[in-house]
Amino acid sequence: MRHPQNCCTNDISSENAFFYTLCARISVMNSQLLSIIATIEKTIYTQAFDGEAIVSVQDLADQAGLSRFQLLRLFKHGTGKSLDQFITRIKLETAASFVCLTRQSFIDIAINLGYSGQQSFTRAFSKHWHISPLKMRAATLKRNQHLYLNKEAFTIPAWRVNREQPLRLWIRRYVGSYVQVPQHWSAFTLETKEILARVKGPYYGVIYDDPDITPVDQIRYGCAIEAPDMNTPTPSGWIEFISPPSRFIVFSLHGSYLEGLEKLRPRVLTWFQNHQETFGTSGFFEIYPKLPEGDEHQKRDMSLHISLAY
């Protein structure tokens, strides 16, 4: 397991190898297992911000039309590890994002992620990351101090918006560093050309992971379109995500994807350090008015939307 930006030393563990293998398998998993994984992530990533992110194995089994035993066997066969290991890993990756990127209190993070209190959360967090939440936050602030002083970051426009209706997305999942995102869009265009022929846009890039936390070769990214309505069945091989109404902070940029990686990160980090805000329930995504085409140097219009808590 890699600690964010090497704040502490940690050998590559069998769990890290498991998660790398899981990421590599995502593109070839059957639709049922993809749906189960998406449900787990949705519970932890979104419901965590409303209350306790407790993932019920029985509820997952019922939604999938399986017995508890069948679900556990399917997950173990498809990923190589247990469902409990996967849930714990996703929870603690989510916790690290809150620790590093927001000012939210550790007790609130703990309760929202289903821990009984700050002490049990700190024990689990420290065992997983080999560093306490307090020390990780301090190390992140120190490491990013130069970004908070980046005057160029303030030239990127930012504004708050309210979206009053839910947004239903169909997502195709890819894995690899953010530098590879243009390649993901190229693969997406080839794999889904029949559906894309009926879509006018906009197009959504769904962000799951922070590069300071998740190893670059394990970063998940979703290429997505809006579903035609709230009821049409999700096509095979796609993941459904319903983004509830939310407040958003929006950052806009015209440039290449490489420019976006270079300029948007300090802007986002600076904004959250200067405002008493934390993440909301509706996710993080890029919006492109036109289908992203070309390589990482191709200039295009893009806006980054980050959900804010009410």
Side-chain angles (χ1 to χ4, degrees), residues 216-286:
V216 293
D217 54 2
Q218 299 176 23
I219 288 173
R220 296 159 295 173
Y221 182 87
C223 299
I225 58 174
E226 289 187 40
D229 52 52
M230 298 301 288
N231 300 311
T232 302
T234 304
S236 177
W238 295 69
I239 297 171
E240 178 192 72
F241 174 68
I242 297 178
S243 175
S246 180
R247 301 164 56 234
F248 287 87
I249 179 66
V250 180
F251 305 90
S252 66
L253 179 73
H254 176 79
S256 70
Y257 202 82
L258 289 181
E259 288 178 284
L261 289 176
E262 179 182 349
K263 295 179 180 180
L264 280 172
R265 183 168 183 77
R267 179 65 169 118
V268 171
L269 291 173
T270 301
W271 192 90
F272 274 95
Q273 282 301 312
N274 291 334
H275 295 80
Q276 293 292 332
E277 296 277 11
T278 190
F279 304 136
T281 64
S282 297
F284 306 63
F285 41 84
E286 306 155 346

Side-chain angles (χ1 to χ4, degrees), residues 66-237:
L66 301 170
S67 69
R68 182 186 178 95
F69 174 76
Q70 288 172 325
L71 170 65
L72 296 177
R73 185 176 60 180
L74 173 67
F75 200 91
K76 182 69 176 289
H77 177 74
T79 68
K81 285 286 182 172
S82 74
L83 183 57
D84 283 345
Q85 287 173 305
F86 179 76
I87 291 171
T88 298
R89 173 66 182 258
I90 295 296
K91 275 190 177 185
L92 292 172
E93 292 243 350
T94 302
S97 295
F98 277 84
V99 168
C100 292
L101 301 179
T102 78
R103 297 182 179 182
Q104 190 169 9
S105 70
F106 297 144
I107 184 62
D108 284 347
I109 296 172
I111 297 301
N112 287 348
L113 286 171
Y115 290 91
S116 59
Q118 185 170 335
Q119 187 174 13
S120 61
F121 166 67
T122 299
R123 279 198 304 268
F125 190 98
S126 301
K127 180 180 179 180
H128 183 80
W129 290 110
H130 293 262
I131 191 172
S132 71
L134 181 63
K135 290 183 178 179
M136 181 185 284
R137 178 169 284 176
T140 301
L141 289 171
K142 182 177 180 180
R143 184 178 66 251
N144 291 334
Q145 193 63 42
H146 69 289
L147 298 178
Y148 306 140
L149 303 175
N150 186 334
K151 294 182 179 179
E152 186 179 2
F154 290 93
T155 65
I156 296 177
W159 65 94
R160 292 179 177 90
V161 299
N162 292 325
R163 196 187 69 226
E164 298 180 355
Q165 299 297 323
L167 174 67
R168 183 184 181 214
L169 297 179
W170 288 346
I171 304 170
R172 299 277 289 195
R173 180 79 66 80
Y174 299 90
V175 177
S177 73
Y178 282 121
V179 175
Q180 295 175 273
V181 163
Q183 298 174 35
H184 298 336
W185 281 107
S186 295
F188 175 77
T189 302
L190 289 173
E191 294 167 1
T192 62
K193 55 186 178 182
E194 291 184 6
I195 291 179
L196 290 181
R198 304 191 297 270
V199 174
K200 295 182 179 180
Y203 304 89
Y204 298 80
V206 182
I207 297 170
Y208 295 89
D209 300 306
D210 184 277
D212 278 356
I213 296 168
T214 304
V216 293
D217 54 2
Q218 299 176 23
I219 288 173
R220 296 159 295 173
Y221 182 87
C223 299
I225 58 174
E226 289 187 40
D229 52 52
M230 298 301 288
N231 300 311
T232 302
T234 304
S236 177

